[in-house]
Amino acid sequence: MTDSSAKSPVTLVSAPGKVLVVGGYLVLDRAHSGLVVGTDACLYAAVQTQAKAGLASETSPSSSSTASTTIPIFVQSPQFESAWWKYSFDVESNALAQNESADNGTNGFVQVVLQATLGLVSQYKPAKLRQLLASSGSDGSGLKIVLLADNDFYSQRETLEKMGLDLSSASLEKLPRMCGTGTTLKNVHKTGLGSSAAMVTSLVGAILSHFGVVSQSDLDPSKASSEEARRSFRLIHNIAQYTHCLAQGKVGSGFDVSAAVYGSHV
């Protein structure tokens, strides 16, 4: 969806988590089937074109300006401690570079997705990148990306204990949506709903939608049966599968990414 009330439109795309009921690596053999269920808990990726002054305020004072052929990109995951990364994408070479991060670390999933999706944008919608680059030269515009997750993706035990609440589903309902984890991304305890696959999928969808490679209307579930919508979902699925495997360094069954794109299915 697009938040048209903002001064600069925000493209927001969500992707659900998964619960594997039957299957696993057996589905790599076409003779076998599996059943995966999409959850109502989602990962969210918001993409906005923003002035560099806004980007710089999120980072350290030592942030330096980018070269004339590069677009600055700021990625933040505010539910975690020390979770922001600053990149630049060169529109001439289609190369992505990480310039800074909160803890001098990297986020392989985010980096691979940015490289692949912006490279695709440069092929499908080069004028969009050139337009963003032109504004970068005059007012320093760049991309700001915010990643958020529903609470079910991470263990809330410590949060509930700090609040003096019982470890129950009723207590979980009392927590604010997308509450802070109180720890780093590296140390957070996950619940196994496929947060990395959902994050990759939502980020791929948000970037491709933001630049018009896929139409935002195609992502409306009520239009999922149209040929254009099927094309858009297929493109997002293929890029998400590719980048997720590349970031993990291995080829899995792919059911988690598939569920993040298509929801529950066999």
Side-chain angles (χ1 to χ4, degrees), residues 3 25 28 46 85 89 138 150 164 183 186 225 255:
D3 179 7
Y25 283 97
L28 295 176
W85 305 266
F89 181 77
S138 59
D150 284 325
T183 187
K186 180 179 179 180
S225 60
F255 68 84

Side-chain angles (χ1 to χ4, degrees), residues 22-210:
V22 178
Y25 283 97
L26 284 174
V27 302
L28 295 176
D29 186 334
R30 292 182 180 274
H32 304 288
S33 298
L35 173 62
V36 62
V37 177
T39 68
D40 57 1
C42 294
L43 260 290
Y44 305 85
V47 180
Q48 182 182 31
T49 300
Q50 193 177 60
K52 190 166 63 174
L55 295 174
S57 67
E58 303 282 358
T59 62
S60 66
S62 62
S63 299
S64 58
S65 60
T66 56
S68 59
T69 61
T70 61
I71 297 170
I73 304 167
F74 178 76
V75 182
Q76 182 183 27
S77 188
Q79 288 170 280
F80 302 99
E81 296 177 353
S82 303
W84 60 259
W85 305 266
K86 185 179 179 183
Y87 305 91
S88 58
F89 181 77
D90 192 306
V91 299
E92 297 291 344
S93 63
N94 285 345
L96 181 79
Q98 178 173 313
N99 302 328
E100 292 184 71
S101 69
D103 58 359
N104 295 319
T106 61
N107 187 320
F109 288 98
V110 168
Q111 191 159 342
V112 169
V113 169
L114 290 177
Q115 177 68 73
T117 53
L118 291 175
L120 197 65
V121 170
S122 71
Q123 296 182 43
Y124 280 80
K125 298 288 182 178
K128 294 280 189 177
L129 284 181
R130 291 291 177 182
Q131 181 181 3
L132 180 55
L133 179 63
S135 64
S136 297
S138 59
D139 65 9
S141 295
L143 287 181
K144 181 178 180 180
I145 299 172
V146 178
L147 304 173
L148 289 165
D150 284 325
N151 295 337
D152 290 348
F153 284 94
Y154 310 113
S155 171
Q156 303 298 328
R157 175 185 291 270
E158 292 185 6
T159 301
L160 293 175
E161 290 176 345
K162 288 179 181 179
M163 297 176 64
L165 297 174
D166 296 332
L167 302 180
S168 65
S169 57
S171 295
L172 289 173
E173 294 177 358
K174 297 178 181 179
L175 297 178
R177 287 197 66 190
M178 305 176 190
C179 65
T181 62
T183 187
T184 62
L185 183 59
K186 180 179 179 180
N187 294 322
V188 71
H189 297 292
K190 299 182 179 182
T191 57
L193 295 183
S195 58
S196 63
M199 185 279 289
V200 163
T201 302
S202 63
L203 184 53
V204 168
I207 293 174
L208 296 185
S209 179
H210 188 74

Side-chain angles (χ1 to χ4, degrees), residues 4-38:
S4 58
S5 64
K7 184 176 181 181
S8 178
V10 176
T11 303
L12 176 65
V13 172
S14 65
K18 54 74 183 164
V19 174
L20 181 65
V21 179
V22 178
Y25 283 97
L26 284 174
V27 302
L28 295 176
D29 186 334
R30 292 182 180 274
H32 304 288
S33 298
L35 173 62
V36 62
V37 177

Side-chain angles (χ1 to χ4, degrees), residues 245-263:
C245 289
L246 194 60
Q248 282 191 322
K250 62 180 180 180
V251 177
S253 64
F255 68 84
D256 45 1
V257 172
S258 184
V261 176
Y262 296 108

